[in-house]
Amino acid sequence: MDESLGALDKKLRDQLQVEIKAIQQELGLTVIYVTHDQEEALVLSDRIAAMRNGLIEELDTPRELFERPRTPFVADFLGAANFLPGRIEQHTDEHTLVRLDRSGGLLKARRHDLASGAQVEVAVQPGRLRACAPDDGFCTGTVETARYVGTLIRASVRIDGGDAPLLRLEVPAGRGPVADERVGITADPDDVNLFPVEQGR
């Protein structure tokens, strides 16, 4: 099936995704489904082959690809990840601590098997970042935009520290930050992925 639902409106597309999956499971068929819609791939698939330049970059379950991508390309392609450069400061029994280059903040990630001192890219999906009090985050910044999109607020935060990038957040509506607000940024360590710089993007 090649881009089968691409021309449909979102409501009908969502309904047909459920029906296609139900028919596939009922008939026990193997279906190869081609799509550029990341959400559609996550909903319909038992396994996803994320492709880059005509080659399979990574092949795994939707949950593993989204939550534990093995390359920066897949992290960015499936979830438009936020990337921050840093250096591994130390390991504990359960966590890896990363000192961020621009803000100097200390970020806690789940345990990664990378050498202390290694230069890394920190990757966190917008829906896994949270705004908090400035003193409680691994970095601080100012909210530039906060757009209401129904159940979510999509915010962009200009973090402190030179030419630091904008971070994208998706938070439940009613709990989101507002434009010009000073905030801290935090994340659950289990939602933080680290990639050695030599992997590139």
Side-chain angles (χ1 to χ4, degrees):
M1 301 180 74
D2 188 3
E3 300 279 2
S4 304
L5 308 181
L8 304 178
D9 65 71
K10 178 167 174 48
K11 183 177 179 181
L12 184 55
R13 195 164 63 240
D14 290 349
Q15 291 172 347
L16 285 175
Q17 287 171 8
V18 173
E19 290 189 32
I20 288 170
K21 185 71 174 174
I23 292 169
Q24 179 265 327
Q25 290 177 331
E26 181 181 338
L27 297 179
L29 296 173
T30 296
V31 177
I32 297 175
Y33 192 98
V34 180
T35 180
H36 287 84
D37 184 319
Q38 290 88 339
E39 184 178 320
E40 189 168 270
L42 292 169
V43 168
L44 284 172
S45 301
D46 298 308
R47 291 173 67 77
I48 296 176
M51 300 190 72
R52 181 184 189 187
N53 298 327
L55 299 173
I56 294 175
E57 176 91 354
E58 198 171 331
L59 175 66
D60 215 324
T61 64
R63 183 177 292 274
E64 283 297 309
L65 281 191
F66 187 81
E67 296 183 2
R68 301 284 186 271
R70 292 191 296 273
T71 67
F73 171 81
V74 172
D76 196 36
F77 183 71
L78 278 184
N82 293 285
F83 288 92
L84 292 166
R87 187 175 298 278
I88 292 181
E89 186 151 300
Q90 70 178 84
H91 298 285
T92 69
D93 289 342
E94 296 180 1
H95 298 107
T96 294
L97 303 180
V98 178
R99 182 69 64 184
L100 298 177
D101 287 352
R102 294 188 177 107
S103 69
L106 192 63
L107 177 144
K108 186 185 289 185
R110 71 179 186 281
R111 177 76 188 216
H112 286 72
D113 293 327
L114 297 167
S116 294
Q119 196 71 34
V120 295
E121 277 198 286
V122 175
V124 188
Q125 305 296 351
R128 303 298 172 94
L129 287 176
R130 299 188 305 275
C132 60
D135 291 341
D136 297 334
F138 58 76
C139 64
T140 57
T142 302
V143 178
E144 289 205 353
T145 61
R147 295 181 320 235
Y148 172 77
V149 288
T151 59
L152 296 174
I153 298 289
R154 288 194 177 130
S156 59
V157 177
R158 175 74 62 186
I159 64 172
D160 301 332
D163 59 347
L166 283 171
L167 292 183
R168 297 175 309 279
L169 283 74
E170 292 181 353
V171 296
R175 290 186 239 161
V178 296
D180 299 322
E181 182 180 355
R182 292 284 298 163
V183 296
I185 302 296
T186 188
D188 187 302
D190 205 43
D191 294 330
V192 178
N193 291 293
L194 304 180
F195 300 103
V197 163
E198 58 267 21
Q199 276 192 262
R201 258 189 290 158

